[in-house]
Amino acid sequence: FKNGETARYGAYYNLNFIWIQSGEVEFRADTLNYNQQLAWRLKAVGKTYKAYDWFYSVRDTFETYCSYQTFKPIFSNRAINHARQGSIHRYWFDPSGTIRAYISQDKKPPVQTTLTTGANTYDLLATAYNFRKFDFNKLFAGQKVPYQMIIDKQVDDLFFRYLGKEKVKTRNGKEFRCHKVSVYLLQGDFFPEGEYMKVWFTDDQNHLPVQVETQIAVGSVKALLLDTKNMKYPLTSQIK
């Protein structure tokens, strides 16, 4: 990816076996000066359409700053509001291998703690972008790839499993050749524990997610690519 890349997705909720587009998510990557160093600013904003707020409203903002040279996280802020219940997660990453965490969940007293971790620990948003750096063509079907991520107040050793290649068609009629993976996650604010999240990355140099499907607390959701801007490489995986 490069400075200014933007990807917009339709968010779909499964209601009685029917997928209904109930919102949108936009991802953007920019470069800027942060704490006197060149950095990546990764931002994702998700929201349900107002017509569906009566059922389950979502207003989420994820923002992470990473070193431009190493892509190691520097600071992460996650502000989420689901069904009028909100939480804030802030993490400060120290090169020494510690993470300072501030977590405020709804009406509970805020929690502040310091975690000791390894050098390759990422937050949720930086993890999503870091997946795009893998050379999926060097993996075999069924192979597990370990990664470390901070979730709420703890750091966990997780993995994704490479499942091979598939074609994915989006709702606007576009079709892509993709690499498919399943992502193992532990129980958190959003997800149940297990390999319930499936991600399809474009089979080209961008490794852009085309489709994400997962179970959540209130059923299952899917994100499908709508459009992109300022891609670093041509989307040669697009069939039509």
Side-chain angles (χ1 to χ4, degrees), residues 93-112:
F93 296 78
D94 191 276
S96 65
T98 60
I99 302 174
R100 290 190 297 115
Y102 170 90
I103 300 173
S104 175
Q105 294 179 299
D106 207 20
K107 297 179 181 180
K108 298 178 182 178
V111 174
Q112 298 186 61

Side-chain angles (χ1 to χ4, degrees), residues 64-203:
T64 302
Y65 294 83
C66 298
S67 165
Y68 184 83
Q69 297 296 331
T70 65
F71 204 67
K72 299 299 173 60
I74 304 168
F75 172 71
S76 170
N77 184 65
R78 185 175 97 198
I80 62 177
N81 191 303
H82 291 183
R84 303 185 185 277
Q85 294 187 352
S87 66
I88 295 173
H89 294 68
R90 292 176 181 151
Y91 304 106
W92 292 263
F93 296 78
D94 191 276
S96 65
T98 60
I99 302 174
R100 290 190 297 115
Y102 170 90
I103 300 173
S104 175
Q105 294 179 299
D106 207 20
K107 297 179 181 180
K108 298 178 182 178
V111 174
Q112 298 186 61
T113 186
T114 300
L115 306 170
T116 301
T117 182
N120 294 310
T121 301
Y122 297 83
D123 70 304
L124 181 61
L125 185 57
T127 295
Y129 276 88
N130 199 45
F131 280 2
R132 295 176 59 184
K133 295 185 174 186
F134 284 95
D135 187 349
F136 296 111
N137 286 314
K138 293 184 178 179
L139 304 178
F140 58 84
Q143 182 175 350
K144 292 182 180 180
V145 178
Y147 67 96
Q148 197 171 68
M149 186 171 74
I150 185 165
I151 303 173
D152 298 334
K153 298 183 287 291
Q154 64 187 48
V155 174
D156 291 303
D157 292 309
L158 306 170
F159 66 86
F160 73 79
R161 187 192 307 272
Y162 182 66
L163 299 177
K165 295 185 179 183
E166 283 188 2
K167 293 178 182 178
V168 173
K169 183 177 290 187
T170 64
R171 292 296 179 98
N172 54 14
K174 296 180 180 179
E175 189 173 8
F176 297 86
R177 293 186 303 273
C178 294
H179 296 281
K180 181 181 179 181
V181 305
S182 62
V183 182
Y184 177 80
L185 294 171
L186 294 179
Q187 183 90 27
D189 285 347
F190 298 118
F191 311 113
E193 181 175 351
E195 292 183 57
Y196 295 111
M197 177 180 286
K198 305 293 189 298
V199 187
W200 289 259
F201 297 92
T202 56
D203 183 12

